[in-house]
Amino acid sequence: MFSLWGKTFHNNRLVKDYVANINDDDTRTHKVFKALAEICQEFNIEQPMWLEKNIREFQKFSHVRFSQDNFIEEINFDYLEIRILEDD
């Protein structure tokens, strides 16, 4: 099973968190996108845009932060962080 943990923070405090579990035979990249879509739906926010720095950070550390620069609409938190908890 593939698990991705999404968290929103405001003033360095955790506001919301949710773990999306994906259990299929898709590629790791597709699992990340499916899980991120589920997290965004749960938080009722749009999906963030992946910038080059986000891609590099996620590939290297298996977690990334998305700030206002990654969203078209105004967000009511400082950043969204996603982290892989379990990768099959």
Side-chain angles (χ1 to χ4, degrees), residues 4-9 28 32-33 36 39 48-67 70-71 77 79-85:
L4 189 71
W5 186 16
K7 303 177 277 187
T8 58
F9 290 86
R28 180 178 189 249
V32 169
F33 287 127
L36 180 57
I39 289 167
M49 295 179 291
W50 288 81
L51 305 175
E52 285 297 320
K53 66 178 186 160
N54 303 118
I55 295 168
R56 284 192 307 274
E57 184 179 336
F58 193 73
Q59 288 172 338
K60 190 172 184 177
F61 302 111
S62 296
H63 77 272
V64 67
R65 288 183 177 178
F66 298 105
S67 63
N70 300 95
F71 294 91
F77 49 88
Y79 60 89
L80 165 68
E81 180 179 294
I82 60 171
R83 177 181 305 268
I84 293 177
L85 293 180

Side-chain angles (χ1 to χ4, degrees), residues 8-61:
T8 58
F9 290 86
H10 185 66
N11 292 330
N12 290 324
R13 294 190 179 172
L14 179 66
V15 177
K16 293 182 184 177
D17 72 318
Y18 179 78
V19 176
N21 297 304
I22 306 297
N23 195 13
D24 62 23
D25 294 330
D26 221 341
T27 65
R28 180 178 189 249
T29 302
H30 286 118
K31 289 177 186 178
V32 169
F33 287 127
K34 285 179 185 178
L36 180 57
E38 185 178 325
I39 289 167
C40 290
Q41 183 176 359
E42 179 70 23
F43 292 166
N44 196 27
I45 59 173
E46 67 175 308
Q47 290 192 41
M49 295 179 291
W50 288 81
L51 305 175
E52 285 297 320
K53 66 178 186 160
N54 303 118
I55 295 168
R56 284 192 307 274
E57 184 179 336
F58 193 73
Q59 288 172 338
K60 190 172 184 177
F61 302 111

